[in-house]
Amino acid sequence: MTRELHLAGFLIASHVTHSHAAWRHPASETDYLGPGYYRRVAQTLERGTFDFLFFADLLATPVRYGNDIRVPLRSGTQASATLDPSLVAAGLANVTDRLGLAITKSTTYFHPYEVARIFATLDHLSGGRAGWNVVTSLNQAEAQNFGAQDHLGHDERYERAQEFLEVAYKLWGSWDTDALVQDKGTGVFADPDKVRTVDHEGTWFKTRGPLTVPRSPQSRPVLIQAGSSPVGKDFAARWAEAIFEIDPTPEGRRAYYDDVKSRAVNFGRNPDDIKIFPSFVPFVGETEAIAREKQAFHNELADPVSGLITLSVHTDHDFSRYDLDAPIEDLVVPGTQGLFEVARRLGATENLTLRDIGKLYAQGVLLPQFVGTAEQIADQIEAGFTGGEADGYILSAAQAPGTFHDFVDFVVPELRRRGLFRTEYTGTTLRDHLGLGPASLTPVARPSTVAG
């Protein structure tokens, strides 16, 4: 069977994406508080037969950098203003027919019953197109918004997340597929023998059940994850069906791909059942020179301090205390995981300062930028897809919705011409688009030891 490329689009229900410069770009639309902006993006991606539209989310205005919200609000840093993506996605279900709709919900600040109900509802409203990006949340500001002084430790958050998903699986399975009868003649609405309580009482959660939402078209949402620490990658290898990845180098992306796929085998899973999606920002031009000009214009709009504000959020560490011209490899940041290690590796290779990393972070949170004509960008995608870096890619915008239009109008036809990407949808659900089989409601067991 020919291996097929997968494509997804990235948004935050906000004024920016990974690019902090996006809202300042003259071509970017600014009506993100209304439905029209999201509708235009979603319909463009559906026209391009993308697998899904993915919404990231954060639960606090950035405050970690200098303990001050004034600078992030003034500069429009990522997460300074966001809508609830679950409500945005519910609205998009009514204006799209095939595009998958994946949203972020935290296992740290919500309860499994609430989240299971949200995703079962979205799966019904979309006809089986729901996906859940499972996050454990990042920082103290989020904890304080939910009544805690500080957030849980890194490993504790993942332990809570393990039980959270185990409970959600029970709740999604509390209705059999054929439990809903709705026989008007006999007056039987549902078969009570096919609806069960779950009666879960564990370390973190207690819930009786059953879920009030009958079994949904996919039985549960497609599970998405972005683990980058060893514990996070084990979590992804156990649960994820799609993984969102950030790494600016081909070598890093290949290493991540091999690592997570091998961890999946350790959990007794088929590694082909996990689709790995590195993300990138494209700059498409009629010529390479035009594309480079677009890239340069965008990158000049990026403010290093804005980038460091988001780096402080992602590491829960205050980078305002350091000299902006200090080499990044010299900084000692306690307890760092994931993205900061990527930044440190990049800084050591290219001799970058903290200011340089802040600039890169503001340009796109360390995402690689694919620049050139449609053919040149398709070359980069094909090289990564065939070279052991990716099963698909998540497209993030430098300006919206224009970046999505350019990619769909120029790069997608080139990918189709090469036989890499579909010309039409062949299924109706997100699982269909990703080439996944029926969803299991039996969690993969936790082995006594796993790699990493």
Side-chain angles (χ1 to χ4, degrees):
M1 182 177 178
T2 303
R3 185 165 168 254
E4 183 181 77
L5 176 72
H6 298 280
L7 291 174
F10 176 94
L11 279 182
I12 303 173
S14 175
H15 56 297
V16 297
T17 55
H18 290 101
S19 164
H20 295 45
W23 78 270
R24 295 185 59 198
H25 198 290
S28 284
E29 298 181 10
T30 57
D31 59 339
Y32 74 94
L33 294 176
Y37 169 78
Y38 304 103
R39 182 180 67 247
R40 288 188 289 277
V41 171
Q43 290 177 340
T44 295
L45 296 183
E46 188 164 75
R47 177 165 58 84
T49 61
F50 273 48
D51 291 56
F52 60 93
L53 173 58
F54 167 76
F55 285 91
D57 194 28
L58 288 169
L59 300 171
T61 302
V63 69
R64 197 68 172 92
Y65 188 88
N67 193 31
D68 183 12
I69 65 170
R70 293 174 60 84
V71 175
L73 286 171
R74 185 180 294 114
S75 59
T77 300
Q78 189 183 87
S80 54
T82 59
L83 303 180
D84 185 327
S86 60
L87 300 179
V88 176
L92 292 179
N94 289 324
V95 296
T96 56
D97 296 313
R98 291 290 184 268
L99 182 70
L101 300 167
I103 61 174
T104 298
K105 282 292 177 185
S106 171
T107 58
T108 302
Y109 300 118
F110 300 103
H111 190 278
Y113 191 93
E114 176 188 13
V115 171
R117 189 167 184 253
I118 287 170
F119 281 101
T121 300
L122 181 59
D123 205 47
H124 277 295
L125 294 178
S126 64
R129 295 182 280 138
W132 175 16
N133 177 44
V134 183
V135 299
T136 61
S137 294
L138 294 166
N139 58 69
Q140 185 182 47
E142 292 177 304
Q144 291 172 345
N145 282 349
F146 287 85
Q149 179 55 34
D150 208 348
H151 61 73
L152 292 172
H154 180 270
D155 291 358
E156 282 184 297
R157 295 200 307 273
Y158 277 103
E159 276 301 309
R160 177 184 165 105
Q162 301 279 11
E163 186 180 332
F164 194 112
L165 280 168
E166 290 164 0
V167 177
Y169 269 51
K170 292 177 183 178
L171 290 164
W172 287 321
S174 61
W175 286 68
D176 288 349
T177 304
D178 58 349
L180 195 60
V181 178
Q182 299 192 114
D183 187 324
K184 295 183 179 181
T186 63
V188 176
F189 176 74
D191 185 342
D193 293 330
K194 296 182 178 182
V195 182
R196 294 165 295 281
T197 60
V198 301
D199 299 315
H200 177 89
E201 186 168 354
T203 302
W204 297 97
F205 302 109
K206 182 177 181 179
T207 186
R208 182 178 184 273
L211 202 62
T212 57
V213 184
R215 182 74 68 93
S216 73
Q218 294 185 120
S219 293
R220 60 167 173 79
V222 170
L223 298 183
I224 302 171
Q225 228 275 316
S228 55
S229 68
V231 172
K233 284 185 279 192
D234 273 341
F235 183 85
R238 182 187 180 198
W239 295 102
E241 292 158 305
I243 294 178
F244 166 65
E245 183 213 355
I246 295 177
D247 195 291
T249 68
E251 299 78 18
R253 294 191 290 273
R254 282 193 293 271
Y256 184 92
Y257 189 94
D258 291 342
D259 188 2
V260 172
K261 296 280 185 169
S262 67
R263 290 172 190 262
V265 173
N266 293 334
F267 280 93
R269 296 185 65 192
N270 181 347
D272 292 338
D273 290 340
I274 302 178
K275 310 300 182 184
I276 297 181
F277 286 78
S279 190
F280 70 95
V281 180
F283 294 89
V284 188
E286 294 86 348
T287 66
E288 183 178 352
I290 291 172
R292 295 285 175 195
E293 185 177 351
K294 288 182 177 181
Q295 178 192 30
F297 180 83
H298 165 269
N299 287 350
E300 278 303 307
L301 294 174
D303 170 34
V305 171
S306 185
L308 292 176
I309 290 169
T310 297
L311 181 59
S312 294
V313 169
H314 287 173
T315 59
D316 202 33
H317 185 76
D318 183 4
F319 283 91
S320 71
R321 67 183 68 176
Y322 301 110
D323 181 352
L324 288 177
D325 295 316
I328 188 72
E329 62 180 317
D330 291 349
L331 301 186
V332 177
V333 177
T336 56
Q337 306 275 346
L339 275 175
F340 185 74
E341 294 306 321
V342 174
R344 193 197 299 278
R345 170 164 49 84
L346 188 65
T349 302
E350 301 185 18
N351 195 29
L352 300 180
T353 66
L354 185 60
R355 187 191 308 275
D356 296 327
I357 291 295
K359 185 79 168 175
L360 289 172
Y361 232 78
Q363 290 168 1
V365 191
L366 303 184
L367 265 61
Q369 296 181 345
F370 290 2
V371 186
T373 64
E375 292 80 7
Q376 289 172 318
I377 290 176
D379 286 343
Q380 294 176 80
I381 292 170
E382 184 172 9
F385 178 62
T386 60
E389 295 177 27
D391 298 303
Y393 285 91
I394 290 182
L395 167 66
S396 191
Q399 51 100 359
T403 298
F404 299 114
H405 289 312
D406 288 348
F407 192 91
V408 166
D409 290 341
F410 299 108
V411 181
V412 167
E414 178 61 22
L415 294 171
R416 288 170 172 166
R417 187 187 67 78
R418 300 181 187 200
L420 293 171
F421 191 56
R422 66 172 72 93
T423 58
E424 61 183 6
Y425 290 110
T426 56
T428 60
T429 70
L430 179 52
R431 300 191 70 81
D432 292 336
H433 304 341
L434 292 170
L436 301 171
S440 171
L441 288 173
T442 302
V444 174
R446 302 196 209 187
S448 56
T449 59
V450 293

